[in-house]
Each structure stands twice: as structure tokens, then as C-alpha cells.
């Protein structure tokens, strides 16, 4: 039996990145039954880059990007609300100070 990993098969047969690794897998013959054709069994190739794998990767990156954008917008919204509340608190403190000062003067 030969290697199971895609990169090892490429290395063994000096294949380019574009070559189909599946055609170069070393298969083992199964015991032959009477009157039947010889059958072979091949290992499942690991780390094989397929369109499905690339699609999953794209989807994962898109989700990550969407999440980052959502967090950025939420952060901006929150900082805006926080600034508004701080401004209101400051105005309330100023008003309280003015009231107490005017009360002191009127006595």
C-alpha cells in the first residue's frame, strides 16, 4: 500500500498541483471470487482540495467577515449611545450645581 495523503502521493509520483491525485492512488487487490472480475480497493485520500472544501472555506470566511462588520456597527451604535448618556449626565450635574449655587446666594 502506498501513501494516503494527497501531498505524499504528489511527492511520490512527482505530480504537479494541477494533476489529479485520485488516478495515482495505489490500490490493493481483493481476493478474487470464481467467475468474477478482479476488484481493487483504494484508500480515501486525505487533505484533498475539492470544490466542496473551497466552498466551505469561502462560506466560513464570509461568516467571519459578516460577524466582524456587525460587531463594528454595534460598537459604533453603543459608543454613540454612551456619548449621549455622558452628555446628559454632565448637563444634569451642571444644572444641579447651578441650582445649589443659586440657593446659596438667595439665603
Amino acid at each position: 500500500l502506498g501513501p494516503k495523503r494527497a501531498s505524499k502521493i504528489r511527492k511520490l509520483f512527482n505530480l504537479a498541483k494541477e494533476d489529479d491525485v485520485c488516478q495515482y492512488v495505489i490500490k490493493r487487490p481483493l481476493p478474487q471470487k470464481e467467475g468474477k472480475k478482479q476488484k481493487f480497493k483504494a484508500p480515501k485520500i486525505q487533505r484533498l482540495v475539492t470544490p466542496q472544501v473551497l466552498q466551505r472555506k469561502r462560506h466560513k470566511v464570509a461568516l467571519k467577515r459578516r460577524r466582524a462588520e456587525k460587531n463594528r456597527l454595534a460598537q459604533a451604535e453603543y459608543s454613540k449611545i454612551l456619548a449621549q448618556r455622558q452628555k446628559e449626565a454632565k448637563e444634569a450635574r451642571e444644572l444641579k450645581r447651578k441650582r445649589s449655587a443659586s440657593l446659596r446666594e438667595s439665603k
Side-chain angles (χ1 to χ4, degrees), residues 80-97:
K80 197 186 290 181
I81 292 169
L82 204 62
Q84 177 70 28
R85 287 196 183 149
Q86 284 174 342
K87 187 180 173 189
E88 287 171 4
K90 189 177 180 183
E91 286 172 1
R93 278 199 308 271
E94 292 290 323
L95 194 66
K96 195 175 175 184
R97 190 180 298 138

Side-chain angles (χ1 to χ4, degrees), residues 1 3-4 7 31 36-37 42 46 50 52 63 68-69 76 94 107:
L1 275 106
K4 185 174 179 171
S7 59
K36 298 271 179 141
K37 204 167 83 177
Q46 301 296 313
T50 61
Q52 187 68 38
L63 285 177
E69 179 66 20
E94 292 290 323
K107 282 184 181 176

Side-chain angles (χ1 to χ4, degrees), residues 40-75:
F40 294 90
K41 211 169 193 179
K44 179 177 177 278
I45 303 171
Q46 301 296 313
R47 295 193 185 180
L48 187 64
V49 179
T50 61
Q52 187 68 38
V53 168
L54 294 172
Q55 184 182 3
R56 281 195 204 108
K57 186 178 177 181
R58 271 196 311 274
H59 181 64
K60 207 162 77 174
V61 169
L63 285 177
K64 201 173 182 181
R65 199 172 286 130
R66 211 177 302 153
R67 196 166 49 239
E69 179 66 20
K70 187 180 147 207
N71 285 342
R72 192 179 62 74
L73 291 172
Q75 175 64 37

